[in-house]
Amino acid sequence: MRKTFRTLETDIDAGTHDDRLYNKAFDGFRAKLRNSLLPFIRHETPILAAMQKRIRTETLDSYFVWTANLGTHTFFMVFLPILIWFGNAELGRNVALLTAAGVFWSGFIKDFFCLPRPLSPPVHRLTMSPSVALEYGFPSTHSTNSISVALFLISIACEKYAPESPARIVSIIGCMFYAVSVVFGRLYCGMHTITDCVGGTILAYIVYWFQWTFRDQFNELFTSDSYWVFLTIPICLFFVSLHVCFMGVLIGLMPGSWLCNHTEYCSLGLTSSIMSAQMGPLGALLLLVKLVLGVAILFIWRIACKKVCYYILPPIYRAFNLPHRKFEIGAR
């Protein structure tokens, strides 16, 4: 018997259906957790609206809307490969695993609690992606990613530089400024409540602690001769329905890093991209060409893959009667 799925009303934000619907759909423990956090979301909404009315300016609007991109998939899609291309492969892998874990677990918790974002109105939502209202609010993925990455980079700076080193001080201040801009920006733009950001911050520390504590064990996967790293392919394919984007990243990152470490030409290409004071004008020009060409290839590949998927996947979903965007799925 074929399943039928009820279409959702597209003008209703995620998590804003009648509370009785969630209490009926969830078991007792899950419903109690959601009901214990929901009053905080509702109480903070008029506070955020009052804050926006008091401090909003055109300059701050532009700043926080643009800095919100520093916590998105597109930013990390460009930023992480650049780290690897320019001789920081280990750091790039660690940050990729960090952000993948942050996106995965924050998305899982969002679907578990099904809590709404601040209501608009009274809050004004400032965003370049209107479809974000289709996602739940708690915890904030932007907060999770920005704070976990900032903590990891601060730890690297503290480990690498002496306490009195200007580079260490600049690195710490820069990372803190980045994290504060992104997190406060979520409040300023009306996309999250304080509760969302606090939840994202707690999750960020957990993800950071795990990645920092076991970073040597993760790096051994890519430098050893063991083939266990290739198990990530079937594991990620199994969990791909939970988050397609970062599961795809891990499928490429982990086996690809292992192959690169065991291939002479790949390793030589990474080490030759390390910038130094002795680099001449021609070397700097080649690195610039590599940067521009690499980023262009990333976007071309992304656009091409989307086109192919939009062509291939719809017939498969129709053939197996799988739920898709227009239908009620998961916790919805």
Side-chain angles (χ1 to χ4, degrees), residues 14 37 46 67 69 77 81 107 112 127 137-138 184 187 209 218-219 232 289 323:
L37 289 173
T67 53
N69 292 316
M77 181 191 77
F112 181 83
T127 179
F138 178 88
F184 181 73
L187 302 174
W209 176 87
F218 282 120
N219 288 326
T232 56
V289 171

Side-chain angles (χ1 to χ4, degrees), residues 147-223:
I147 292 179
S148 62
V149 170
L151 288 173
F152 194 89
L153 295 179
I154 288 173
S155 299
I156 292 288
C158 291
E159 185 179 68
K160 184 176 181 180
Y161 301 114
E164 66 278 2
S165 171
R168 175 171 174 166
I169 297 172
V170 171
S171 299
I172 293 174
I173 293 175
C175 290
M176 292 176 64
F177 186 78
Y178 160 69
V180 171
S181 293
V182 174
V183 175
F184 181 73
R186 306 315 286 160
L187 302 174
Y188 179 92
C189 293
M191 301 308 297
H192 285 288
T193 61
I194 298 173
T195 300
D196 298 338
C197 293
V198 170
T201 301
I202 294 172
L203 178 60
Y205 182 79
I206 295 172
V207 170
Y208 150 75
W209 176 87
F210 188 85
Q211 183 65 32
W212 181 258
T213 303
F214 299 102
R215 69 188 189 282
D216 292 334
Q217 287 80 356
F218 282 120
N219 288 326
E220 285 178 7
L221 287 173
F222 310 113
T223 56

Side-chain angles (χ1 to χ4, degrees), residues 43-54:
H43 175 71
E44 293 166 15
T45 296
I47 296 175
L48 292 178
M51 180 196 73
Q52 285 184 324
K53 187 176 181 180
R54 188 176 300 113

Side-chain angles (χ1 to χ4, degrees), residues 295-308:
V295 172
I297 290 174
L298 284 176
F299 279 98
I300 292 172
W301 177 256
R302 183 182 184 183
I303 294 171
C305 284
K306 275 191 173 182
K307 294 290 185 182
V308 171

